[in-house]
Amino acid sequence: MLKIGPTSKEGFSFTGLTFFIYLIFSVFYQVGCTPKGSKAVSEGVIIYDVEYHNMDEGASFLMPDEIRTYLAQGVSATVISGAMGAVETKIISDPQLKEYKTLISAMGQKIALVLGEEDVDRNLDSRVDLELIHTGNDKVIAGYTCKEVKVRDSTDNVYLVYYSDEFNINHPNWGTPFRGIQGVLMQYSMKFGDAVMDLTAKRVEEAELESAFFEIPEDYEVITDPAQLEAIL
C-alpha cells in the first residue's frame, strides 16, 4: 500500500480530523466516465467498503466504513463522512477542465480548496514516485473484471492494486499518484504511519445526479493554497 504521512519509532496517533486532512491529500479517487460495457453506468455511484488495520480503536470508531464515488457527465465526486457525521469531505475531479476541488465541512466551517492542473502536478511530483508493474492477473470485484498491478513506491514498499477498464474513461486517475493506471481503481490500500486503510468496491449502482451536486455551494469559503486549508483546520 502507498505510505502517507509522518512516521516515528513510537508510531503515529490520529484524531478524526487529522485523519481526514491526510485522507484529503492522499486518497486515490477515480474520475467520471462514460460506460462501454453492459455493467457500466453513465450516471451512478461506486460504493467501497473500508477496513482499517493497526489503528487505535478510538480513532477507527470515528472513521467511515464506506466511501462513495459519484459519476456523471465525465466528472466525479467522492464523498467521505466520518466523526459520527461531524466531518464531511467531497472531492470533485474534472478531467476535462483539469480542476480538482476539495470541499470540507467540519466543526461549523465550510472550506473549498480549488486546484488547477499545474497545482495538482506540483503536488504529485513532490510526493510518492510509483513504479507500476502489470502482472497479467485478473480478479472479479463487484461484478467487474479487474486487472492486477504490482506497485512499488519510493520506499520499496510493494503492494497490489486492482482496476477495471470496463469503463470508457479518459485519464481516470489524473489527479492521483496512480495517474499511470488507465482504469477505475476497484481495490487499493493506503498506509498512514502504522495504520492501514483498505478500500474495495462492493457494488456499482445507477443514479440520476443534478449538476449542482458537482458545484461549490455559495456558503463555502473558496481557497487555492493547500497551506491555507491546513492552517484553517
Side-chain angles (χ1 to χ4, degrees):
M1 70 291 297
L2 186 60
K3 194 173 184 179
I4 302 295
T7 60
S8 70
K9 293 181 180 179
E10 294 76 27
F12 190 80
S13 177
F14 289 91
T15 64
L17 187 54
T18 300
F19 178 87
F20 269 87
I21 291 173
Y22 277 97
L23 192 65
I24 289 161
F25 292 108
S26 307
V27 75
F28 317 131
Y29 295 107
Q30 294 74 42
V31 300
C33 59
T34 301
K36 66 177 181 180
S38 60
K39 288 180 278 189
V41 294
S42 58
E43 291 192 7
V45 55
I46 302 174
I47 303 170
Y48 296 86
D49 269 332
V50 186
E51 295 184 356
Y52 303 92
H53 310 279
N54 302 326
M55 180 179 288
D56 177 81
E57 184 176 346
S60 62
F61 177 74
L62 298 174
M63 299 303 107
D65 57 9
E66 185 178 274
I67 290 177
R68 295 179 172 234
T69 294
Y70 296 84
L71 312 171
Q73 303 170 8
V75 182
S76 76
T78 296
V79 178
I80 311 160
S81 297
M84 295 178 289
V87 182
E88 180 176 280
T89 301
K90 180 188 287 187
I91 300 175
I92 303 170
S93 179
D94 189 328
Q96 287 86 24
L97 297 179
K98 290 294 190 291
E99 190 173 64
Y100 203 78
K101 296 178 284 192
T102 302
L103 282 62
I104 304 173
S105 176
M107 300 182 298
Q109 299 187 83
K110 294 183 177 181
I111 308 295
L113 171 66
V114 180
L115 300 178
E117 182 176 12
E118 290 185 4
D119 298 315
V120 170
D121 287 344
R122 188 182 307 114
N123 182 46
L124 291 176
D125 290 342
S126 65
R127 285 169 50 197
V128 180
D129 184 23
L130 302 182
E131 177 187 2
L132 307 176
I133 303 170
H134 294 263
T135 67
N137 297 328
D138 292 336
K139 179 178 181 179
V140 176
I141 301 174
Y144 289 77
T145 300
C146 300
K147 297 183 178 182
E148 182 182 88
V149 176
K150 182 182 291 185
V151 180
R152 184 187 302 274
D153 65 24
S154 56
T155 64
D156 286 331
N157 186 40
V158 178
Y159 55 99
L160 298 177
V161 166
Y162 294 90
Y163 72 95
S164 172
D165 60 5
E166 294 185 40
F167 297 89
N168 182 17
I169 305 174
N170 294 319
H171 308 295
N173 304 298
W174 77 276
T176 81
F178 291 110
R179 51 188 171 179
I181 294 179
Q182 295 303 316
V184 172
L185 296 177
M186 300 292 276
Q187 182 174 317
Y188 55 100
S189 300
M190 293 180 294
K191 187 173 184 179
F192 301 83
D194 292 328
V196 177
M197 176 181 179
D198 294 329
L199 296 93
T200 303
K202 60 181 178 180
R203 65 182 183 273
V204 180
E205 298 179 351
E206 293 188 13
E208 293 185 6
L209 301 169
E210 299 291 336
S211 59
F213 186 79
F214 301 94
E215 299 172 357
I216 301 174
E218 293 183 356
D219 58 344
Y220 276 69
E221 176 187 352
V222 178
I223 60 176
T224 57
D225 184 354
Q228 288 179 272
L229 181 61
E230 294 188 40
I232 292 171
L233 296 177

